[in-house]
Amino acid sequence: MNIVVCGKVIPASTVTIEIDPATKRMVRKGVAHELDPAAACAVEEGLRLVEKHGGTVTLITMGIADATIGIRNALAMGATSAVHILDDAVAGSDTLGTAKVLAAAIKKQPFDLVLCATESSDSYSGIVPGQIAFLLGVPPLSFAKEIAVEGDRITIKRQSESGFDVVESTLPALVAVSSGINEPRYPQLKGIMAAKKKEIKVYTAADLGLSPDQVGEKGAKEKVLTIGRPPKRQAGKIVTDEGDGGRQIADFLAEIKVI
Amino acid sequence: MADVIWVYAELSDERVSPTTLEMLAKAAETGKAEAILLGPAPDDAPATLAKYGASKIYRCADPVYRDYLTLPAAQTVAELIEKHRPAVVLFASSYGGRDLAANLSARLDCGAISDVGDFTLKDGSVEATIPALGASYLNTSTLVGSGPKLLLVRPKSFEPKVNEQPLVIEEVAAPADASLRKARVKERVAVRREGPQLDGAKTIVSGGRGLKGEENFAMLRELAELLGGAVGATRAAVDAGWVPYAMQIGQTGKTVKPDLYIACGISGAVQHLSGMKTSKYIVSINKDPDAPIFQYSDFGVVGDLFKVVPQLIEELKKRKGA
């Protein structure tokens, strides 16, 4: 089975994210990047399915040149190949623009299953998977915490407000996985060496048949008007426990009339 | 004429969800609120929607919306939007709400804004406020283009308000298209939850990675019980398998707004903060004096939670007994 994983490469967790006031976008240049941990779960799930059923895992990412580090990570984990959409014309895309780019790139690959994270760990919008699924004409299955494939059918356990739903669908389908579905493997030296020889196709928006008014900032339907820091909460009282921390909390609870 | 604002109604625990009622309050305050109710629902659901501000309800009780994921509902809502052209359509930032809004956005080639905390509507133009990057930033965004404006609203962003309207129901037909029946819900499993629930709890005692293990949540349960509250957790504690997902508070879990939030062994990752930082009072206990949670706390203790929490429990028992 051919699995395509859409994965975002985001500023590393050690980076304090800054916003460029002029573009109102995250500052990405010169910042350390990594494969989004949520996307790593999708890659891991793809690898596990391929280990069981055979096939390929192709990572598709859209992003800046620094994204290569995240792509290499997925390849070192075991992904077969990767596609990198690298073009200034796609910068500043909103969720729908992003979905259009990714769906166009997916259509260039043979696929039975598309996997992605339910939401990326930086922007958390959580709607790109559903948009991609519509553009591909496949059913969207999201919030998956377990996946099983049998023949041309896929069954997932889908997180629900009260527990979980067991959902069954035909393939091809798109599944967005919840973080915590698995523990992504660490790339081993052998995998890291092998990754160097694996193919990374690079596409521009034009290669995907997308015009500049469909994607990027120009095509975005969502426009950021302002961005700033929310008002700071007034500083409270912080004490160091010297054997009476619990009692001091009780005093505070009495003060605010909780007890 | 007032702008028409639609609310996609959701059920949770067999009743109209609290977020639906919150959205109706905002919709009625901004314009003329109307609701969409798809799938089998309790008999009193339409009356509840009207009581909380819906001046009209588009309803279809067909089980297709309950038994199949997203596609039948998206088809029906898209047709309704194209026919009636409401100014704004509101969805809860829930599991189903996000899937549905995403599908509609791609289908109708229009924008959708996630995680909306508030919005205004003026001359057909919507301006939404969104806590971005785990609430460390606050954005305002707008949607351009002639399509409908889809907004996904964060729970607890608005106060539900009784705003009695006459019950007006317009029945709509379920789509017959078999190609929409691709992903079927085979089974719904409810995970048993014990004790008071997070939704609506006045006090929440929450644990993070610092709890070190499942067994130590017993201590938090005892504290919560003494305060008449519920127990919550961070994603780290849930991912570690110590407690079920239903207890997760934060960007990918529940948004809560209790009077008192006691954070135990929680460092204060932005994703967690975004789910609880609007609590009225925040008390935290953490070993690390530099933990970000202290910047948001009304009262913080830098110390070992395994010493501080038992002492707090004893103190509460003593004071309650007195």
Side-chain angles (χ1 to χ4, degrees):
Chain A
M1 79 190 291
N2 295 308
I3 299 176
V4 173
V5 179
C6 296
K8 200 168 175 183
V9 178
I10 64 171
S13 55
T14 48
V15 170
T16 305
I17 292 175
E18 296 295 337
I19 301 288
D20 179 338
T23 62
K24 302 187 186 76
R25 293 186 210 146
M26 266 186 229
V27 176
R28 289 192 178 268
K29 214 171 173 184
V31 163
H33 278 71
E34 64 183 17
L35 181 65
D36 178 2
C41 291
V43 172
E44 175 66 36
E45 207 55 30
L47 295 172
R48 290 183 189 189
L49 286 169
V50 160
E51 279 159 9
K52 203 166 168 191
H53 302 282
T56 59
V57 174
T58 304
L59 177 82
I60 296 187
T61 197
M62 170 178 136
I64 59 168
D66 288 352
T68 312
I69 191 165
I71 297 171
R72 290 279 173 214
N73 187 67
L75 293 174
M77 284 172 73
T80 321
S81 63
V83 172
H84 187 179
I85 301 132
L86 182 60
D87 187 346
D88 285 343
V90 301
S93 291
D94 62 358
T95 57
L96 187 54
T98 303
K100 285 177 181 172
V101 172
L102 293 171
I106 295 165
K107 281 181 186 168
K108 279 180 158 298
Q109 327 294 321
F111 72 92
D112 303 295
L113 177 64
V114 179
L115 292 174
C116 26
T118 288
E119 53 215 337
S120 63
S121 306
D122 59 347
S123 59
Y124 280 99
S125 75
I127 56 176
V128 174
Q131 292 168 326
I132 297 173
F134 177 81
L135 295 168
L136 294 174
V138 300
L141 313 178
S142 59
F143 301 99
K145 50 183 218 163
E146 211 175 296
I147 303 175
V149 170
E150 216 182 304
D152 65 347
R153 300 198 81 75
I154 184 163
T155 306
I156 69 157
K157 278 189 184 169
R158 181 181 196 269
Q159 188 69 53
S160 72
E161 302 289 340
S162 54
F164 62 89
D165 299 336
V166 180
V167 177
E168 188 186 74
S169 172
T170 50
L171 291 172
L174 177 144
V175 177
V177 304
S178 291
S179 290
I181 189 174
N182 55 41
E183 192 63 50
R185 67 194 69 184
Y186 282 108
Q188 303 295 314
L189 185 61
K190 201 176 149 198
I192 295 167
M193 298 309 285
K196 291 181 179 167
K197 294 183 194 138
K198 289 180 180 174
E199 188 188 17
I200 304 177
K201 281 185 204 152
V202 179
Y203 290 145
T204 62
D207 292 337
L208 300 173
L210 295 163
S211 63
D213 59 346
Q214 284 178 289
V215 295
E217 200 168 324
K218 223 172 143 190
K221 317 249 180 220
E222 180 183 349
K223 305 272 184 200
V224 178
L225 300 172
T226 62
I227 187 157
R229 295 276 187 186
K232 275 223 164 210
R233 207 180 159 104
Q234 201 155 6
K237 189 177 175 191
I238 311 299
V239 299
T240 300
D241 180 35
E242 281 165 358
D244 65 346
R247 270 191 293 278
Q248 289 209 53
I249 293 177
D251 289 343
F252 178 75
L253 299 186
E255 200 182 301
I256 61 170
K257 299 187 171 36
V258 167
I259 55 168
Chain B
M1 209 173 81
D3 289 301
V4 175
I5 300 176
W6 279 3
V7 172
Y8 183 79
E10 285 195 333
L11 301 174
S12 85
D13 293 333
E14 302 294 309
R15 63 193 172 103
V16 176
S17 80
T19 314
T20 300
L21 303 181
E22 291 156 23
M23 292 190 295
L24 275 174
K26 177 67 183 180
E29 180 196 303
T30 312
K32 187 168 180 258
E34 296 184 348
I36 307 171
L37 180 63
L38 301 181
D43 291 347
D44 63 351
T48 304
L49 295 171
K51 183 178 169 188
Y52 283 87
S55 56
K56 187 176 189 179
I57 298 152
Y58 295 94
R59 180 181 71 174
C60 181
D62 197 299
V64 67
Y65 305 109
R66 184 196 57 200
D67 298 345
Y68 291 88
L69 276 193
T70 318
L71 301 180
Q75 175 78 23
T76 301
V77 178
E79 283 173 10
L80 285 170
I81 288 175
E82 287 184 324
K83 189 172 168 196
H84 299 281
R85 303 201 165 270
V88 175
V89 188
L90 304 179
F91 301 88
S93 270
S94 61
Y95 300 110
R98 294 211 281 188
D99 282 357
L100 187 52
N103 183 293
L104 289 166
S105 150
R107 187 184 290 254
L108 303 169
D109 198 34
C110 63
I113 305 180
S114 269
D115 223 17
V116 170
D118 198 4
F119 72 91
T120 58
L121 182 67
K122 204 178 160 195
D123 302 328
S125 170
V126 73
E127 237 177 65
T129 311
I130 310 122
L133 300 172
S136 51
Y137 283 90
L138 206 59
N139 285 3
T140 53
S141 286
T142 191
L143 291 170
V144 296
S146 56
K149 317 270 189 268
L150 312 180
L151 303 181
L152 287 127
V153 176
R154 283 168 70 89
K156 312 272 177 205
S157 294
F158 310 109
E159 286 288 326
K161 217 190 264 174
V162 172
N163 184 355
E164 200 83 52
Q165 301 292 318
L167 186 57
V168 179
I169 298 176
E170 182 174 320
E171 297 288 347
V172 294
D177 186 353
S179 72
L180 301 172
R181 301 178 183 207
K182 284 179 178 167
R184 185 189 184 94
V185 180
K186 281 177 69 182
E187 191 186 353
R188 292 190 191 273
V189 180
V191 174
R192 209 170 135 244
R193 291 181 286 176
E194 285 168 358
Q197 302 307 305
L198 288 173
D199 300 314
K202 294 270 182 218
T203 296
I204 293 174
V205 180
S206 209
R209 202 189 296 274
L211 259 288
K212 293 184 180 165
E214 186 180 353
E215 64 284 2
N216 296 321
F217 269 84
M219 185 167 70
L220 301 197
R221 279 186 208 103
E222 190 180 357
L223 176 57
E225 202 176 316
L226 281 165
L227 293 165
V231 179
T234 64
R235 178 159 147 186
V238 173
D239 280 354
W242 300 339
V243 287
Y245 176 81
M247 285 169 63
Q248 187 174 317
I249 293 167
Q251 189 119 23
T252 48
K254 285 192 161 54
T255 302
V256 294
K257 206 175 174 179
D259 289 343
L260 172 65
Y261 191 89
I262 304 182
C264 306
I266 292 174
S267 64
V270 287
Q271 291 83 0
H272 184 71
L273 290 169
S274 84
M276 48 60 78
K277 72 184 215 184
T278 53
S279 303
K280 191 170 173 194
Y281 292 106
I282 298 173
V283 171
S284 54
I285 305 156
N286 202 298
K287 270 204 293 209
D288 176 7
D290 297 322
I293 191 82
F294 287 128
Q295 294 168 30
Y296 296 87
S297 300
D298 298 282
F299 194 84
V301 175
V302 179
D304 181 354
L305 73 93
F306 295 102
K307 288 181 184 154
V308 177
V309 175
Q311 188 182 64
L312 174 59
I313 290 172
E314 285 317 306
E315 197 64 22
L316 291 176
K317 282 183 183 166
K318 206 157 70 185
R319 294 188 193 198
K320 281 194 161 196

